[in-house]
Amino acid sequence: MVVLAVLLPVVFGALLLLGLPRALGVLGAGLSFLLNLYLFLTHPGGVAHAFQAPLLPGAGVYWAFALDGLSALFFLTVALTVFLGALVARVEGRFLGLALLMEGLLLGLFAARDLLVFYVLFEAALIPALLMLYLYGGEGRTRALYTFVLFTLAGSLPMLAAVLAAKALGGSPTFLLEDLLAHPLQEEAAFWVFLGFALAFAIKTPLFPLHAWLPPFHQENHPSGLADALGTLYKVGVFAFFRFAIPLAPEGFAQVQGLLLFLAALSALYGAWVAFAAKDFKTLLAYAGLSHMGVAALGVFSGTPEGAMGGLYLLAASGVYTGGLFLLAGRLYERTGTLEIGRYRGLAQSAPGMAALALILFLAMVGLPGLSGFPGEFLTLLGAYKASPWLAALAFLSVIASAAYALTAFQKTFWEEGGSGVKDLAGAEWGFALLSVLALLLMGVFPGYFARGLHPLAEAFAKLLGGGA
Amino acid sequence: MTLAILAVFSVALTLLGFVLPPQGVKRATLLGLALALVSLLLTWGRPFAFGPYAVDGVSQVFTLLALLGALWTVGLVRSGRFEFYLLVLYAALGMHLLASTRHLLLMLVALEALSLPLYALATWRRGQGLEAALKYFLLGALAAAFFLYGAALHYGATGSLVLGAPGEGPLYALALGLLLVGLGFKAALAPFHFWTPDVYQGSPTPVVLFMATGVKAAAFAALLRVAAPPEALALLVALSVVVGNLAALAQKEAKRLLAYSSIAHAGYMALALYTGNAQALGFYLLTYVLATGLAFAVLSQVSPDRVPLEALRGLYRKDPLLGLAFLVAMLSLLGLPPLAGFWGKYLAFAEAARAGAWGVLVLALVTSAVSAYYYLGLGLAVFARPEETPFRPGPPWARAAVVAAGVLLLALGLLPGLALPALAAGG
């Protein structure tokens, strides 16, 4: 099943790239969403649907995938976001094909149980992202592209070295996660291996000051917002810290935990601060995303069960609302030809549906109780407080700041005087609005249900680090 | 068997060429190469020896790669003169011979048998090609002299002309070093690479395809048998990856760029020589032959002669299939997963790690990251806004070969295990 879930979008993506019509992409994204919904609803918790086949015989590399509580939740939110994007983004079929390809790679990434396969997919997801930026990007795309590649490769080579070292120095016969965990590293080796991982994942998260690739990446991408929604999902750094880097080298993590916590809190605050000053929607959302990733990372780095659970839940939820906001920004761009916040004014008069949707998405982002952002943020800060009260307080400022930047942007765009006749939501856009609001509400009201698979993982994670209940 | 088929076809076609039309010779050449391939596959895994001519696993794996390159080249060319096809056939004979012997004299004969036809092929287009061919010839002759000196010293040090005879002392080391120079020239390892950019740029594209695939395969098969001293090897690897990658950064012409990239790849391949693992080297060469062959096949359809980077712009809009295939080739050469090139690099790097050559390994990793810059530049150029240049798609079967190579690169990237058992024959 898990292999089917991964392959479905890949197959549809490949078909679209060969020039088949766009409608097929919407169908593929819809089917993928339904399949992942089914997988999530029927997932019992624990590891299910395991699949394993040798990839490099003799070298201990396996195509190994499995669904656990974490990957099931991420599968659902990724498939939902891509489906929403396919519904509303007015892009050509090939673009949608790249998006589906990326979805498949991301699903594979979240389900991978073999470290080298994880590395392969981690790198492979770069290809569709690059092509989207290059083929459909704005004027300065070449520069954005090279910045992106430079940062990514600078991280992935130490990571490859860490992958090889994790197996060789620990004495594990294979790259399978369970085998690697059964052969722990010595303390000094753990430090270097963790450092290799940390560099790659901190760049992908991204943590301040390794975020320089992020703003140009979003600014230069296609205005439809589809690529940005995927870019939001592509930030798998926090996930990778939780699943691979910290469990494989806990002693290495312990030595730099303080620094990482500090950087995460700093990222949260810095992102919120720059977002407040942002002049256009994409910059605002890019930095807001940076801020949220900082909060999520803070939760995982705290090493507490609450923090880890909250961080992961926030990661899943933020994919939905930040992705939704990027897509909405794309709708606005299509109607007005601009992304500059100061130039909208009073859109609520002619497009009340859009205003309502934007408000709900923004409120979810701010962390209003009852919407999907709240449970994650709350648990994260709770966990962070246990680890370091001062840093939690620092990061908490970013939550307040997020209310300021989000509501200011909303007010400038939809209220105030002026405004011209802008078309309200129509057709498939209503589907987009209803589905995302429904998802935000459900994830906010029933967090226990959605996080049911996360709980045991977070407990085990904290126990590994010597804390926990 | 393979040798006999190649020899019989070479001689027979030399005579028949004067009466048959060139197209007939082309078909007969293809038939000869295909028959050689079949006979190779029929005797796969079964060693065979006749005097100094000994077919073993290494020879079979690398002959296979060389024959693939030759078939591809002959298929791609539409020459009005029958000699072209013959020269490729003679060179293929030399390659098989070079891969199938440990005897130094036979190696020298094989080396010349494959080099002389290539000197001629390099001149196929006059003008610029002539200068390139002259450079190739002079340096090649020098390399052959080095090889001959090496062979003589080897005889002096060990009393035998067969590689692998026990020997020690400075004389023996010098002999191995000289042999390394001779073969390093053919493999385009730095610092013996000076001919490569000029010859690649000046020669017709299908010929370059042959040089980049077949010649490399044969040269590395021979290098596997020379147990090179690790210090000399480290120097070659370090120079090759640094010179190749850094010089490629500045290139504005696709063939010249790929020439420098081939120097860098020779460096990566040499990492597997540390442990003499034919499987890792064979897999690397397989992915390299497929990706480079694919790249040159696309380039030869864009222009038979020089290919400035601007000529590649917009290829994807004119012909999506070729554009995508070219991107796949570039990403595989870069070694980005999930393409086959990644596993090639992975295996070669793992060999270096196993031999404990950490210094060159780190250097190889870093330069590999540098190479992203030019491979992406080249691969993404095909997606740029179209340039108004005439584009004439190649024959349908050439397109089919391009697609097949692209699919193979992807398939081997997803399931590299498919090819490994076959390559294990060399063990």
Side-chain angles (χ1 to χ4, degrees):
Chain A
M1 278 302 250
V2 67
V3 176
L4 181 68
V6 171
L7 283 183
L8 186 83
V10 171
V11 169
F12 273 95
L15 287 177
L16 283 168
L17 277 183
L18 290 176
L20 271 76
R22 186 185 176 285
L24 198 67
V26 182
L27 177 71
L31 283 178
S32 169
F33 172 58
L34 287 179
L35 175 64
N36 286 309
L37 186 64
Y38 169 77
L39 278 179
F40 182 79
L41 293 178
T42 58
H43 184 261
V47 176
H49 301 299
F51 170 86
Q52 190 169 319
L55 169 59
L56 256 188
V61 188
Y62 293 87
W63 281 120
F65 297 103
L67 206 64
D68 61 4
L70 181 56
S71 32
L73 179 62
F74 281 13
F75 267 41
L76 183 65
T77 51
V78 167
L80 173 67
T81 310
V82 174
F83 178 51
L84 293 178
L87 266 185
V88 296
R90 297 249 167 84
V91 292
E92 60 179 45
R94 286 185 217 281
F95 195 146
L96 211 51
L98 288 172
L100 283 168
L101 215 54
M102 181 113 176
E103 182 193 344
L105 292 170
L106 279 168
L107 296 188
L109 188 70
F110 289 134
R113 309 297 289 191
D114 181 291
L115 187 56
L116 199 62
V117 166
F118 174 79
Y119 176 81
V120 164
L121 293 170
F122 192 74
E123 291 294 287
L126 186 65
I127 300 175
L130 275 181
L131 282 177
M132 268 187 260
L133 180 57
Y134 188 80
L135 288 178
Y136 302 99
E139 293 289 312
R141 62 180 186 277
T142 315
R143 206 183 148 78
L145 186 88
Y146 279 112
T147 318
F148 180 45
V149 172
L150 191 79
F151 268 85
T152 310
L153 284 182
S156 55
L157 289 171
M159 179 179 164
L160 182 59
V163 168
L164 294 176
K167 173 172 177 268
L169 299 177
S172 163
T174 70
F175 283 105
L176 288 173
L177 188 56
E178 45 187 339
D179 278 344
L180 288 171
L181 288 175
H183 295 79
L185 294 166
Q186 299 298 314
E187 189 162 335
E188 196 182 317
F191 176 70
W192 290 107
V193 167
F194 184 79
L195 220 57
F197 281 128
L199 191 59
F201 300 153
I203 288 174
K204 282 279 160 73
T205 299
L207 281 185
F208 181 86
L210 299 172
H211 67 283
W213 59 271
L214 182 74
F217 176 81
H218 282 298
Q219 274 149 21
E220 298 299 336
N221 249 317
H222 189 261
S224 74
L226 179 55
D228 303 282
L230 284 160
T232 312
L233 300 173
Y234 186 35
K235 283 176 237 154
V236 294
V238 178
F239 165 82
F241 268 117
F242 177 81
R243 167 77 38 97
F244 291 103
I246 298 177
L248 286 179
E251 281 148 346
F253 170 65
Q255 292 179 50
V256 285
Q257 186 178 15
L259 176 69
L260 285 175
L261 276 169
F262 176 69
L263 286 180
L266 200 62
S267 304
L269 203 59
Y270 171 80
W273 181 47
V274 180
F276 188 68
K279 292 269 183 294
D280 74 284
F281 250 116
K282 276 205 177 180
T283 314
L284 176 108
L285 293 175
Y287 279 100
L290 178 66
S291 171
H292 277 82
M293 286 301 130
V295 176
L298 190 72
V300 169
F301 294 156
S302 76
T304 59
E306 301 87 358
M309 211 167 125
L312 296 171
Y313 197 73
L314 187 62
L315 205 61
S318 78
V320 178
Y321 58 70
T322 315
L325 279 168
F326 269 122
L327 291 170
L328 189 72
R331 310 283 79 221
L332 278 175
Y333 179 82
E334 195 179 86
R335 285 165 165 78
T336 59
T338 180
L339 281 171
E340 219 175 300
I341 296 170
R343 286 177 54 187
Y344 292 127
R345 289 183 191 279
L347 296 187
Q349 288 165 7
S350 50
M354 206 175 234
L357 176 62
L359 187 62
I360 294 173
L361 285 167
F362 269 127
L363 288 178
M365 184 181 218
V366 170
L368 188 79
L371 290 172
S372 68
F374 176 70
E377 262 177 29
F378 175 73
L379 281 173
T380 302
L381 293 173
L382 196 66
Y385 186 78
K386 272 197 196 169
S388 162
W390 283 107
L391 289 174
L394 196 66
F396 188 69
L397 289 178
S398 80
V399 177
I400 298 172
S402 76
Y405 64 71
L407 295 178
T408 313
F410 179 79
Q411 182 241 341
K412 277 189 186 162
T413 309
F414 290 100
W415 291 345
E416 295 194 4
E417 284 305 306
S420 50
V422 174
K423 213 164 65 108
D424 202 7
L425 297 174
E429 287 169 359
W430 280 111
F432 157 59
L434 284 177
L435 257 179
S436 43
V437 169
L438 192 66
L440 296 179
L441 273 174
L442 286 177
M443 284 186 84
V445 179
F446 304 109
Y449 180 73
F450 285 93
R452 70 195 197 280
L454 296 183
H455 189 65
L457 294 173
E459 288 286 347
F461 175 75
K463 201 179 249 167
L464 188 80
L465 293 174
Chain B
M1 196 51 186
T2 313
L3 182 71
I5 291 174
L6 286 173
V8 166
F9 267 85
S10 307
V11 175
L13 285 177
T14 310
L15 299 173
L16 287 175
F18 292 98
V19 286
L20 282 177
Q23 275 306 308
V25 178
K26 175 176 174 173
R27 288 205 191 98
T29 309
L30 283 174
L31 178 71
L33 288 169
L35 279 179
L37 198 63
V38 169
S39 79
L40 182 72
L41 293 177
L42 284 178
T43 56
W44 194 264
R46 269 179 289 162
F48 164 84
F50 181 77
Y53 168 72
V55 177
D56 59 5
V58 172
S59 129
Q60 287 172 334
V61 170
F62 290 86
T63 305
L64 173 72
L65 295 172
L67 285 179
L68 283 179
L71 268 171
W72 203 332
T73 305
V74 172
L76 215 56
V77 163
R78 264 178 292 185
S79 173
R81 299 179 62 112
F82 74 94
E83 293 95 323
F84 189 100
Y85 309 112
L86 276 179
L87 288 170
V88 175
L89 202 55
Y90 275 113
L93 179 67
M95 287 169 188
H96 174 56
L97 213 53
L98 185 60
S100 311
T101 183
R102 286 174 177 277
H103 196 276
L104 286 169
L105 272 189
L106 194 56
M107 264 192 183
L108 185 69
V109 171
L111 211 54
E112 290 305 296
L114 90 86
S115 299
L116 288 172
L118 278 169
Y119 301 146
L121 285 174
T123 60
W124 206 251
R125 224 167 278 285
R126 307 198 187 282
Q128 236 230 339
L130 214 54
E131 189 197 322
L134 188 65
K135 213 175 223 172
Y136 193 25
F137 172 68
L138 289 176
L139 285 171
L142 197 65
F146 271 110
F147 189 87
L148 193 58
Y149 270 118
L153 290 182
H154 189 273
Y155 187 75
T158 66
S160 162
L161 275 173
V162 179
L163 273 176
E168 55 188 17
L171 198 60
Y172 182 65
L174 189 60
L176 290 187
L178 288 174
L179 292 176
L180 204 58
V181 171
L183 292 172
F185 171 84
K186 285 289 156 210
L189 276 164
F192 316 114
H193 65 281
F194 285 104
W195 57 277
T196 321
D198 292 332
V199 174
Y200 274 38
Q201 188 179 14
S203 306
T205 312
V207 175
V208 182
L209 195 167
F210 193 40
M211 288 177 190
T213 57
V215 178
K216 261 216 163 70
F220 268 100
L223 274 172
L224 261 180
R225 318 206 187 245
V226 179
E231 299 81 14
L233 210 51
L235 186 70
L236 291 186
V237 172
L239 278 174
S240 298
V241 296
V242 170
V243 169
N245 281 315
L246 291 188
L249 287 177
Q251 302 308 318
K252 295 270 173 271
E253 202 263 346
K255 273 154 78 182
R256 209 173 165 81
L257 196 161
L258 286 176
Y260 280 110
S261 116
S262 90
I263 296 168
H265 279 285
Y268 299 133
M269 286 174 212
L271 286 176
L273 292 177
Y274 271 102
T275 53
N277 185 333
Q279 199 179 11
L281 181 57
F283 190 83
Y284 196 110
L285 259 167
L286 176 63
T287 67
Y288 176 76
V289 165
L290 284 173
T292 318
L294 173 53
F296 280 114
V298 171
L299 291 184
S300 76
Q301 297 189 39
V302 172
S303 153
D305 204 0
R306 317 188 61 182
V307 189
L309 291 186
E310 292 78 47
L312 279 172
R313 290 167 66 88
L315 180 64
Y316 176 70
R317 308 260 163 189
K318 292 174 203 162
D319 192 332
L321 217 55
L322 284 189
L324 272 185
F326 192 73
L327 179 71
V328 165
M330 287 306 119
L331 294 181
S332 180
L333 284 175
L334 167 57
L336 205 64
L339 295 162
F342 169 72
W343 297 109
K345 272 194 181 163
Y346 170 77
L347 289 169
F349 288 178
E351 287 312 303
R354 210 154 56 130
W358 297 105
V360 283
L361 180 60
V362 168
L363 200 61
L365 272 171
V366 171
T367 51
S368 181
V370 170
S371 72
Y373 184 82
Y374 61 84
Y375 283 129
L376 283 178
L378 210 53
L380 291 176
V382 299
F383 292 101
R385 310 268 177 270
E387 197 89 341
E388 289 309 315
T389 45
F391 178 69
R392 167 180 63 92
W397 90 264
R399 291 172 62 88
V402 163
V403 173
V407 170
L408 265 177
L409 281 175
L410 198 60
L412 284 178
L414 294 176
L415 290 168
L418 285 181
L420 279 181
L423 296 174

